[in-house]
Amino acid sequence: MSHHQRALTTGDLAELARLSAAPHEPNELYSAIDRLVQDVIGHRLFTMMRVHEAESKVERIYSSNPAAYPVGGRKEKRGTPWSRAVLDRGEVFIARNADEVREAFADHALIASLGIGSIMNIPIAYRDRRLGTMNISHEAGWFTDEHASAGCLIAAFVVPSLLTD
């Protein structure tokens, strides 16, 4: 089992920059990022969330599996180890196995039913403000430090869409 799909390239980042600079709907960018994350990191589920600071909630703005995880739902995400890492400190959070997924996520039964055993959450931030998260899910033990680094570079391209929408 390979945990590395392929290396992220400057060409990949240039393509995201081109798309970001051109007229586009946010969902076009999110779909392109989904495809790139699948190619570079791999996933069984890919979602993105917007942070609503005033309400201390996050809202799903993109999902590769809208039947299981539809766009639009909001949920409370403050005061947990996950929120302290991702939303407060701006750190990548990785639940590496089913036990860690169960500890971090209330919807762990649905997550497990999708064959997901690990989750990596990458903060989308600008000027020390968390705007959202990019959430990548796969089988247990999947994610590496290299995946986290590539994910952080890719997530930076989401910032303008969260500042302007």
Side-chain angles (χ1 to χ4, degrees):
M1 162 180 64
S2 170
H3 290 267
H4 184 73
Q5 305 296 102
R6 69 168 177 82
L8 181 66
T9 68
T10 54
D12 295 325
L13 299 178
E15 182 59 24
L16 289 180
R18 184 203 60 73
L19 177 58
S20 183
H24 68 278
E25 292 299 318
N27 208 52
E28 293 174 74
L29 177 65
Y30 304 157
S31 293
I33 288 172
D34 178 358
R35 289 188 301 274
L36 181 58
V37 167
Q38 182 65 277
D39 288 349
V40 172
I41 298 170
H43 68 72
R44 291 190 175 170
L45 174 68
F46 176 82
T47 66
M48 284 193 277
M49 309 288 280
R50 172 190 304 273
V51 172
H52 294 278
E53 290 175 306
E55 302 168 29
S56 295
K57 293 185 178 183
V58 293
E59 174 186 13
R60 192 172 303 104
I61 58 171
Y62 180 86
S63 177
S64 67
N65 184 345
Y69 284 95
V71 169
R74 290 187 184 198
K75 50 185 162 180
E76 188 79 33
K77 279 295 191 183
R78 289 289 181 188
T80 67
W82 178 92
S83 71
R84 285 190 287 280
V86 179
L87 300 179
D88 296 344
R89 296 189 302 270
E91 300 169 355
V92 173
F93 177 89
I94 301 177
R96 298 189 184 278
N97 56 51
D99 288 339
E100 292 178 8
V101 169
R102 197 169 20 262
E103 284 178 26
F105 301 100
D107 56 343
H108 58 83
L110 175 57
I111 291 167
S113 77
L114 298 173
I116 294 167
S118 64
I119 298 174
M120 180 168 62
N121 305 111
I122 298 169
I124 301 167
Y126 181 71
R127 299 182 71 185
D128 202 34
R129 187 173 145 225
R130 257 49 81 200
L131 305 173
T133 65
M134 189 169 81
N135 314 301
I136 309 165
S137 305
H138 215 302
E139 65 191 46
W142 185 262
F143 299 109
T144 66
D145 290 343
E146 192 173 325
H147 290 147
S149 294
C152 288
L153 287 170
I154 294 167
F157 286 89
V158 181
V159 168
S161 73
L162 296 178
L163 288 174
T164 58
D165 284 354

